[in-house]
Amino acid sequence: MFNNKSDYVLNLNFGDILAKTLLILLFLLFTACSSKPQKQIIISTNQWIGYTPLFYAYETGELDALNIKIVTSVSLAEAGDLYSIGKADMVTTTQHEFNVLKKTTHDIKAVILIDRSNGGDMILSNRTLRALKKSKKIDAYLEVDSINQEILLDFLKKNAISKDKINFINKDQRQIQDVKNDPDKAILIATYTPYEIPLKQKNFKEIASTKDINSIIVIDALCARDTLVEHERQRLIQLKKVIDKAIEIIEKNPEASYKIISKYFSHVSYKEYRHSLSLIKWINKPSEELLEYIQQYGYKKDDIIL
């Protein structure tokens, strides 16, 4: 029994507060149990200069904020393999790898355009073009079933060099860097920046590149599984903004970006890094004309996040 009116009010208020507190705790507990943690998105990529924005965003923590992780490899094929076996949700590709994955997995969409090669993909040789035409046998090192192959075959056709005398040797780019410049052998190498740097130091010379091969335009895109596009579109839109921001920083302050991402390009100096960047063009803000053009490569303009 209450001694006075104030004791009654005090106990009534305490009861109300306790009830409200219990309701809040139950609500928080229910919310915690019912909400699922954000799924981590894994991007499979390779060490091509055009993917520098992804490396930069990852190293600065911008991708962590979106719960996105990148896994790097030394070849286009390896990056695609990780995606095809389900070890990655997204993958960086040229149109060649995109269409290979489209045929094999059927579960892929190009969602973010990043860059196009403007001399960044190239053919090297220890022979002049004239000497290559006279050679009876040529060892050609490349990543078979990649954009390397398309570029090499286009080069052979354009210069009337028969495929019959080509010994195609499938190697990833790190293995290709170990190729010896044997003066007794005619050698062709299909590669891309910055992997060409140590090869040129061995006196391999550039005899063709995407700067002068007009028949092939190499477009790099970030691709995703259909289900990811359907369920995570807002996060992909945020990823696009992060990539755009990274590109802007790389363009304005390449030296600062080099310090952050140099570990992805071991043995590449700042000067070489700047040169490699000059061999690509960013297309993260594509024109309507480009969006129409890329559809001939299998990309769909309506899938691209602008």
Side-chain angles (χ1 to χ4, degrees), residues 19-283:
K20 288 178 180 178
T21 302
L22 288 171
L23 283 172
I24 291 169
L25 289 173
L26 286 170
F27 173 77
L28 292 174
L29 181 62
F30 174 79
T31 303
C33 292
S34 61
S35 62
K36 294 180 180 179
Q38 192 180 46
K39 177 187 181 297
Q40 185 179 62
I41 295 174
I42 297 176
I43 299 175
S44 176
T45 186
N46 64 298
Q47 290 157 308
W48 153 250
I49 194 69
Y51 302 145
T52 300
L54 284 173
F55 306 146
Y56 182 86
Y58 186 63
E59 291 301 317
T60 55
E62 295 280 351
L63 294 188
D64 286 339
L66 296 173
N67 199 14
I68 296 175
K69 176 184 177 181
I70 63 171
V71 178
T72 59
S73 60
V74 295
S75 74
L76 294 157
E78 186 179 346
D81 287 344
L82 288 173
Y83 175 88
S84 65
I85 63 174
K87 296 293 184 181
D89 311 286
M90 303 186 75
V91 60
T92 52
T93 72
T94 71
Q95 65 267 24
H96 180 95
E97 294 79 38
F98 170 77
N99 283 299
V100 168
L101 288 169
K102 196 173 181 180
K103 288 178 182 177
T104 55
T105 68
H106 310 289
D107 183 16
I108 190 168
K109 286 181 179 177
V111 289
I112 298 174
L113 299 182
I114 304 177
D115 70 277
R116 60 160 287 199
S117 178
N118 187 40
D121 293 85
M122 63 206 70
I123 305 290
L124 306 181
S125 183
N126 63 347
R127 296 284 193 275
T128 64
L129 184 57
R130 185 176 180 179
L132 284 169
K133 289 181 177 182
K134 292 181 178 179
S135 299
K136 293 181 178 180
K137 180 183 176 183
I138 301 171
D139 285 343
Y141 294 87
L142 73 158
E143 293 178 41
V144 172
D145 205 10
S146 75
I147 196 68
N148 284 179
Q149 183 174 311
E150 283 192 36
I151 291 171
L152 180 59
L153 291 176
D154 186 81
F155 168 80
L156 296 175
K157 182 179 179 180
K158 180 180 178 181
N159 293 285
I161 300 173
S162 173
K163 287 194 297 182
D164 294 338
K165 61 181 181 181
I166 304 296
N167 177 29
F168 293 93
I169 303 171
N170 186 25
K171 299 282 186 182
D172 66 41
Q173 291 301 322
R174 189 161 291 166
Q175 293 169 327
I176 289 174
Q177 286 184 327
D178 294 331
V179 173
K180 293 180 180 179
N181 190 345
D182 188 340
D184 296 326
K185 293 182 178 180
I187 298 173
L188 280 174
I189 298 175
T191 187
Y192 46 90
T193 195
Y195 288 107
E196 91 284 8
I197 294 170
L199 293 166
K200 286 182 176 179
Q201 291 169 352
K202 295 179 182 181
N203 212 30
F204 286 105
K205 305 294 184 184
E206 183 178 315
I207 56 174
S209 78
T210 44
K211 188 170 281 187
D212 48 54
I213 300 176
N214 298 322
S215 53
I216 296 179
I217 295 179
V218 180
I219 302 290
D220 289 289
L222 185 55
C223 307
R225 297 191 181 281
D226 295 345
T227 51
L228 187 75
V229 175
E230 181 182 351
H231 298 299
E232 299 285 356
R233 185 163 183 83
Q234 288 305 311
R235 200 159 22 145
L236 294 181
I237 290 171
Q238 291 302 311
L239 174 59
K240 173 68 166 63
K241 291 179 180 179
V242 166
I243 291 172
D244 288 348
K245 178 183 174 183
I247 290 173
E248 185 178 345
I249 293 170
I250 291 165
E251 286 186 307
K252 288 183 177 179
N253 199 340
E255 188 171 4
S257 69
Y258 172 75
K259 290 177 181 178
I260 290 171
I261 59 86
S262 58
K263 72 177 188 180
Y264 292 93
F265 305 112
S266 57
H267 310 302
V268 174
S269 69
Y270 174 62
K271 182 179 179 181
E272 292 165 338
Y273 171 70
R274 288 294 303 271
H275 176 68
S276 293
L277 286 174
S278 73
L279 301 179
I280 61 170
K281 288 188 180 295
W282 302 116
I283 56 169

